[in-house]
Amino acid sequence: MKIRRYMGSNTQEAILKVKMDLGNEAVILNTRKVRKRGLLSFFAKPMVEVLAAIDDDISTKKETVKKVETNKQKESSTQKEINFKTNSEQKEEKIDVLENKVNNMETMLKKIYEQFQNNTGSAPASTSTSAPVSAPPRQEKTERPYSKVLMQFYNNLIKNEVEEEIAKKLIDTVSKKIGDTTSINDAASMLYSLISGILGKPETIGLKEDKKPTVIIFVGPTGVGKTTTLAKIAANYSLNLRKNVGLITADTYRIAAVEQLKTYAEILGLPVNVIYAPNEIKDAISLYADKDVVLIDTAGRSYRNKSQFDELKALIAASEADEVYLVMSSTTSVRNCNDILQNYSFLKDYKLIFTKLDESQVNGIILNTKFRTGKNLSFVTTGQCVPDDIEVLNIDKMTKNLLGSIS
């Protein structure tokens, strides 16, 4: 058995030396840290010493295997030299055959390309399987392709999950009005004006002047944060605007929903009334005749459950609310957003609140929803803190976020 010592700055380095010298069959007998001799060794980092061993039979077998492999390589090299001339002749014949096939394929591809150009009037698209993040918009044959500047803005809108149809309309409008050769600043200014015009001016709660309470009802899908949003608005109107606020909840289906609103009401010092059926809503509102604002919380209802959704419709109708707020999460996908809007289209008039802006990296849903519905935007929420994390939507900031930057 061979026993050897190996030194390294660390264990890995020492073991690597063992493997390089003795191979993977080596056995590690001992590992320890040692210092070099001399005065300076006190200031130096200790070395790692590895004691390794390998059986003599294994070592001998290794040397034998190496010799055999060397002989085989020599024999193979000699055989290759003998067959070189024969192989060269065969390769020349194969090359001639391949060249003929390549020439035939080039001719065939050229014919297919020319036929495709004649049919479509443009070059075929790349067959690469890796598509770009945002593909160019589909354009009719009579349309010119977008300039580089407009294409960059189009891609920014798509990355922000603005629907393709809406993004294309915006870019087409700019292209027609100021042309494709416009500068970045002119294109950005035009798009800023178009998008901010679509978003419009946000509207908040319009209080009555006849000393009667303004009744507001909050509706929307499950999980969007209606109760927390209502509590934030209640806190703002009660603490900051010094208004008398009354709360009503019809969300008796969700676990602890009533207790959640009661907790907020207790902290804010506001009265809260619980109703269990649509026919109770008018009596509950009448109890707050001396209030400035009455806020009504509803349960999230799935439009797929017809009976529950019909109950929500009945509650909204019975409340005769002055204002209706449709609350939506900014994390909702485009498809789900369109489904929600379609199923809440029974509402005659409403305003839009978007929650969870802090959880969403893109805000295309806000522009998409405003474009599809034409309803006024209002508040947005940016966190869970009551009453701080709520504000009126900043149109300037939102428009700039949607446009993105041009590199």
Side-chain angles (χ1 to χ4, degrees):
M1 176 177 286
K2 294 180 180 179
I3 300 175
R4 294 179 182 176
R5 284 186 173 83
Y6 298 87
M7 303 291 289
S9 58
N10 53 51
T11 305
Q12 289 79 9
E13 182 182 332
I15 291 176
L16 180 61
K17 289 181 180 180
V18 173
K19 289 185 177 180
M20 291 176 65
D21 189 23
L22 301 182
N24 293 328
E25 291 83 4
V27 178
I28 306 300
L29 301 178
N30 186 34
T31 302
R32 65 170 183 164
K33 290 185 178 180
V34 296
R35 292 187 178 273
K36 294 180 180 179
R37 295 180 179 179
L39 182 62
L40 296 177
S41 65
F42 289 99
F43 303 98
K45 185 179 179 181
M47 302 287 287
V48 175
E49 179 189 79
V50 174
L51 189 66
I54 188 170
D55 190 69
D56 290 332
D57 292 339
I58 294 175
S59 177
T60 305
K61 285 179 183 179
K62 275 188 161 187
E63 293 175 359
T64 304
V65 169
K66 285 183 179 179
K67 289 180 180 179
V68 171
E69 288 179 351
T70 304
N71 292 333
K72 284 184 178 180
Q73 289 176 357
K74 289 181 179 179
E75 291 175 3
S76 175
S77 176
T78 305
Q79 187 65 33
K80 285 181 180 178
E81 290 177 0
I82 295 172
N83 297 331
F84 178 76
K85 293 182 180 179
T86 305
N87 290 338
S88 297
E89 293 174 357
Q90 292 176 353
K91 285 180 180 179
E92 287 179 0
E93 293 178 0
K94 290 181 179 179
I95 288 171
D96 291 337
V97 174
L98 286 172
E99 284 181 349
N100 291 332
K101 288 184 178 180
V102 169
N103 290 332
N104 291 334
M105 289 175 66
E106 286 180 351
T107 304
M108 185 182 300
L109 287 171
K110 187 176 180 181
K111 289 180 180 179
I112 293 172
Y113 183 87
E114 290 174 352
Q115 185 178 1
F116 187 90
Q117 277 190 316
N118 293 333
N119 291 337
T120 64
S122 60
S126 170
T127 56
S128 173
T129 56
S130 58
V133 176
S134 53
R138 299 177 182 175
Q139 299 179 11
E140 302 298 330
K141 295 179 184 178
T142 57
E143 293 181 351
R144 295 175 298 169
Y146 294 143
S147 67
K148 185 177 179 181
V149 171
L150 293 181
M151 199 67 220
Q152 182 65 59
F153 279 118
Y154 174 85
N155 287 334
N156 287 351
L157 291 170
I158 295 299
K159 288 175 184 176
N160 273 300
E161 296 187 3
V162 174
E163 291 185 47
E164 182 179 350
E165 177 189 350
I166 300 171
K168 189 174 183 302
K169 284 184 178 180
L170 289 168
I171 302 299
D172 283 343
T173 301
V174 174
S175 179
K176 289 176 183 177
K177 287 190 176 183
I178 57 179
D180 292 331
T181 58
T182 184
S183 66
I184 292 176
N185 291 336
D186 289 342
S189 177
M190 184 71 175
L191 283 168
Y192 178 92
S193 178
L194 289 171
I195 293 173
S196 59
I198 293 172
L199 294 176
K201 185 179 179 181
E203 289 188 5
T204 57
I205 297 172
L207 298 178
K208 291 181 179 180
E209 297 180 358
D210 57 2
K211 296 186 179 181
K212 291 184 179 180
T214 301
V215 179
I216 300 112
I217 190 167
F218 295 79
V219 299
T222 57
V224 297
K226 288 189 298 298
T227 304
T228 306
T229 301
L230 182 148
K232 292 173 182 177
I233 293 174
N236 181 48
Y237 274 81
S238 175
L239 301 177
N240 298 330
L241 301 180
R242 303 295 179 182
K243 301 296 180 183
N244 290 323
V245 180
L247 306 179
I248 298 174
T249 178
D251 189 1
T252 55
Y253 292 88
R254 188 164 56 91
I255 298 174
V258 174
E259 293 304 318
Q260 181 185 9
L261 190 59
K262 282 184 175 180
T263 301
Y264 286 133
E266 185 178 350
I267 294 171
L268 297 170
L270 302 177
V272 60
N273 202 314
V274 182
I275 64 168
Y276 297 90
N279 58 9
E280 300 177 8
I281 189 69
K282 280 196 174 183
D283 291 337
I285 293 174
S286 65
L287 296 175
Y288 295 139
D290 60 333
K291 304 298 179 185
D292 298 311
V293 182
V294 177
L295 305 178
I296 305 172
D297 189 22
T298 63
R301 286 287 180 257
S302 171
Y303 51 83
R304 294 182 178 88
N305 188 322
K306 189 176 183 305
S307 61
Q308 289 186 357
F309 207 65
D310 287 343
E311 184 179 351
L312 174 64
K313 290 180 180 180
L315 178 65
I316 296 170
S319 69
E320 297 181 348
D322 299 297
E323 293 186 6
V324 178
Y325 278 93
L326 177 59
V327 184
M328 298 182 65
S329 170
S330 60
T331 61
T332 307
S333 67
V334 172
R335 181 175 178 180
N336 288 339
C337 175
N338 290 334
D339 285 344
I340 292 166
L341 294 177
Q342 182 179 355
N343 286 277
Y344 278 90
S345 61
F346 70 90
L347 296 172
K348 293 181 181 179
D349 191 22
Y350 58 88
K351 296 177 185 177
L352 292 162
I353 292 178
F354 285 93
T355 62
K356 305 181 182 181
L357 256 67
D358 56 309
E359 299 179 21
S360 177
Q361 295 181 346
V362 294
N363 303 125
I365 183 177
I366 296 177
L367 181 62
N368 296 338
T369 304
K370 182 64 170 70
F371 183 88
R372 296 291 182 197
T373 64
K375 304 303 180 184
N376 290 324
L377 299 169
S378 187
F379 300 101
V380 292
T381 68
T382 56
Q384 295 296 316
C385 293
V386 178
D388 298 326
D389 295 337
I390 189 169
E391 60 189 39
V392 178
L393 177 65
N394 187 321
I395 299 299
D396 175 69
K397 182 179 177 182
M398 181 57 59
T399 303
K400 290 177 180 176
N401 286 343
L402 290 171
L403 283 176
S405 59
I406 296 292
S407 56

